[in-house]
Amino acid sequence: MSEKATLTIDGKSYELEVSTGSENEKCFDIQKLRTESGFITMDPGFGNTGSCYSDITYVDGANGILRYRGYPIEEIAEKASFVEICSLLIYGELPNAEILDKFRKALAEHASLHTNLEQHFKGFPPSSPPMAILSAMLNLVSCFHPDVLEVYSEGHGFDRTAALLLSKVRTIAAYSYRMSVGKPFNRPNPHLDYCANFLHMMFSEPYREYERNEVIEKALSLFLILHADHEQNCSTSTVRAVASSRANLFSSISSGVCALWGPLHGGANIGVINMLEDIKTSGRPIDYYLDKAKDKNNDYRLMGFGHRVYKNFDPRSRILKNRLDEVLKELNKKDPLLDIALELEEKTLKDDYFVSRNLYPNVDFYSGILLRAIGIPLDMYTVMFAIGRMPGWIANWRELHDQRLRISRPRQIYTGPQERSFTPVEER
Ligand code: CMC
């Protein structure tokens, strides 16, 4: 017999189907509640509302667990490459050597941009925010590949579109950086793998090719893996909401980039470095910043702290923290911001305000220090997050289509004026 929950409103009972996930998470289904009772449920910010059943990523916020398709993030971070994880997230299983090779070749094949598409970079002022460029250019790619717009209604072409997006996002990101510093584009090199090719496009100069560096490439791959998916976060929910109107993959993902841009989401990785720099240069004690973050009359927040789901620790932050020392040592670098970050974390762990609200460092807290170590410019940090999140967005877009989900359309409770008559302006 299936489990049911009973809801009683004004003495009348409603039976609600209960579903259980593979990790024993439970929900009750309220889809028929409004038609049967006239009531809707209210949950601004959707903190307690499920929008889908998903096979992609599992997060257990109470215990700091994150798994992609069942594989713990700690194991993946240690052993996998980003390209393998893209394949895992999008297709559901780890690729064998043959599939991986084919996937790598597809990524290499789609790396370059149509010359007319390249021309569009000239239309952006050099100071343009890279996330605005990324979102606009990803949408524009569709104009050069009209055949892939109908991917799902045609039922084919998905593999090509996914590879195209995963590959081109990196070229667009690197070109937007080159444009912002007034340097010529470096065309992709099909002989380099995913991370090395990106670093080449970012940093090769006419007089000096990018020099391969295994430590940097592995650190970049780690960064991308840790950002690859995180179930129904703000940008992924945006991708799904847009995709639910049966919008194409390009426009759905370009909307996801816009959602990610905000400082409470992906934009926090830039906010963290600005905050740490400010602590360093202002000479003010860390307590000053803690007090400001705790002040209810001030909107200031400690960037890189807190999470909607993690209420104990964010495993991605732990992995980054543990790897940072090693990466800095291997690169023979020191970063004073790391010492400040460690001190800040230590203080918050002893501070009742942060402890009582379960505010711990999230993925953005240490990721910026890793990106600094490997030479990525600050204004590109959120773009790096977007490159990492691409497989998760694509996997969610695909799953929504496969499940043929209904269009996203939440309800509201109207609190405006009741019906009133219109008075022409001259009589008002
Ligand atoms: N600094 C100070 N106070 C905070 C912070 C913070 N970083 N985060 C939450 N709070 C307080 C908040 O004021 C509230 O206090 P009270 O209960 O007294 O009103 C309480 O903690 C709960 O906060 P909330 O805003 O209801 O929590 P949320 O789940 O809606 O928001 C969050 C989650 C990540 C947006 C938020 O913690 C935040 O703004 N953090 C800083 C920005 C950040 O680091 N974002 C990256 C998130 S992780 C990567 C990603 O997904 O992008």
Side-chain angles (χ1 to χ4, degrees):
M1 221 175 73
S2 63
E3 208 181 330
K4 300 230 192 281
T6 307
L7 176 71
T8 307
I9 307 171
D10 295 336
K12 190 165 179 217
S13 293
Y14 301 89
E15 290 217 312
L16 308 167
E17 289 289 336
V18 169
S19 305
T20 307
S22 44
E23 296 291 341
N24 211 28
E25 328 93 281
K26 302 230 178 227
C27 71
F28 52 81
D29 190 323
I30 51 116
Q31 286 186 78
K32 294 191 186 131
L33 185 64
R34 195 188 64 83
T35 38
E36 288 177 359
S37 70
F39 278 74
I40 63 164
T41 54
M42 180 55 73
D43 183 18
F46 310 125
N48 201 43
T49 296
S51 61
C52 59
Y53 296 91
S54 179
D55 297 347
I56 305 169
T57 288
Y58 173 65
V59 180
D60 172 350
N63 296 304
I65 293 172
L66 168 61
R67 296 185 200 131
Y68 296 159
R69 304 276 189 187
Y71 296 100
I73 191 68
E74 291 78 6
E75 273 185 51
I76 285 175
E78 185 77 29
K79 300 176 188 161
S81 71
F82 177 61
V83 172
E84 252 178 310
I85 296 310
C86 290
S87 182
L88 171 71
L89 284 167
I90 296 170
Y91 297 108
E93 292 298 338
L94 282 172
N96 61 24
E98 192 188 329
I99 295 174
L100 187 60
D101 186 52
K102 206 168 142 207
F103 192 48
R104 285 209 166 106
K105 284 188 177 133
L107 294 177
E109 184 193 328
H110 292 297
S112 56
L113 303 184
H114 190 289
T115 40
N116 290 355
L117 183 59
E118 273 189 22
Q119 298 303 316
H120 281 273
F121 280 96
K122 291 193 183 141
F124 293 106
S127 57
S128 305
M131 287 294 272
I133 299 180
L134 186 68
S135 174
M137 292 301 283
L138 284 172
N139 216 355
L140 254 179
V141 174
S142 66
C143 306
F144 293 83
H145 300 273
D147 51 315
V148 295
L149 286 178
E150 299 298 323
V151 157
Y152 253 83
S153 57
E154 293 296 315
H156 59 79
F158 172 81
D159 296 353
R160 186 167 158 257
T161 318
L164 200 138
L165 260 170
L166 285 166
S167 190
K168 291 200 193 312
V169 66
R170 154 190 77 145
T171 313
I172 293 170
Y175 283 14
S176 67
Y177 165 67
R178 300 292 295 179
M179 184 208 71
S180 72
V181 289
K183 292 186 169 180
F185 298 150
N186 295 312
R187 298 266 146 63
N189 176 348
H191 304 296
L192 293 175
D193 64 24
Y194 194 90
C195 291
N197 206 352
F198 173 70
L199 293 164
H200 148 71
M201 287 189 273
M202 288 283 288
F203 301 124
S204 280
E205 300 300 347
Y207 50 87
R208 179 179 41 79
E209 276 284 298
Y210 158 70
E211 215 174 285
R212 298 287 306 264
N213 181 321
E214 206 190 334
V215 177
I216 291 183
E217 287 165 24
K218 274 178 103 170
L220 176 57
S221 178
L222 172 73
F223 173 93
L224 298 175
I225 288 172
L226 294 180
H227 289 78
D229 193 42
H230 211 246
E231 50 121 301
Q232 304 313 314
N233 56 83
C234 176
S235 55
T236 303
S237 301
T238 302
V239 169
R240 276 185 173 260
V242 176
S244 75
S245 73
R246 302 297 178 260
N248 67 71
L249 193 48
F250 297 95
S251 50
S252 305
I253 275 167
S254 113
S255 313
V257 171
C258 293
L260 185 72
W261 190 359
L264 298 189
H265 194 6
N269 60 12
I270 295 182
V272 170
I273 296 297
N274 286 334
M275 175 183 77
L276 296 175
E277 285 281 13
D278 188 41
I279 297 175
K280 181 171 143 252
T281 51
S282 73
R284 291 192 190 103
I286 283 182
D287 286 335
Y288 167 87
Y289 294 88
L290 296 188
D291 290 344
K292 205 157 101 167
K294 293 190 277 186
D295 180 358
K296 283 286 145 212
N297 299 315
N298 196 326
D299 282 340
Y300 182 81
R301 288 189 163 200
L302 279 194
M303 285 289 117
F305 276 81
H307 199 276
R308 172 63 62 79
V309 184
Y310 293 121
K311 296 301 171 198
N312 186 334
F313 66 93
D314 179 337
R316 302 166 300 176
S317 167
R318 283 205 172 165
I319 294 169
L320 282 166
K321 185 180 171 184
N322 292 338
R323 281 293 293 278
L324 258 176
D325 236 6
E326 210 177 295
V327 171
L328 286 169
K329 254 192 218 121
E330 284 171 334
L331 294 174
N332 208 11
K333 284 186 177 175
K334 264 189 139 335
D335 190 341
L337 296 195
L338 177 58
D339 299 329
I340 297 172
L342 291 170
E343 192 185 337
L344 187 59
E345 178 181 357
E346 203 183 313
K347 287 206 170 231
T348 57
L349 292 177
K350 292 183 193 142
D351 190 310
D352 186 54
Y353 174 93
F354 292 92
V355 174
S356 64
R357 288 171 179 74
N358 301 308
L359 301 171
Y360 299 95
N362 57 48
V363 67
D364 293 318
F365 191 60
Y366 289 107
S367 67
I369 301 178
L370 185 82
L371 291 177
R372 259 163 81 90
I374 63 179
I376 305 292
L378 181 62
D379 65 354
M380 291 290 288
Y381 286 12
T382 314
V383 168
M384 300 306 293
F385 192 151
I387 299 176
R389 188 52 56 88
M390 194 58 66
W393 288 334
I394 296 173
N396 274 277
W397 186 94
R398 180 180 203 224
E399 188 174 73
L400 176 132
H401 277 259
D402 284 350
Q403 295 175 347
R404 306 218 61 78
L405 290 189
R406 299 173 78 194
I407 191 164
S408 286
R409 205 314 185 176
R411 293 272 172 173
Q412 64 164 24
I413 295 291
Y414 173 69
T415 54
Q418 291 190 318
E419 184 176 350
R420 47 186 171 166
S421 311
F422 175 80
T423 322
V425 66
E426 47 293 352
E427 292 172 32
R428 265 178 249 153

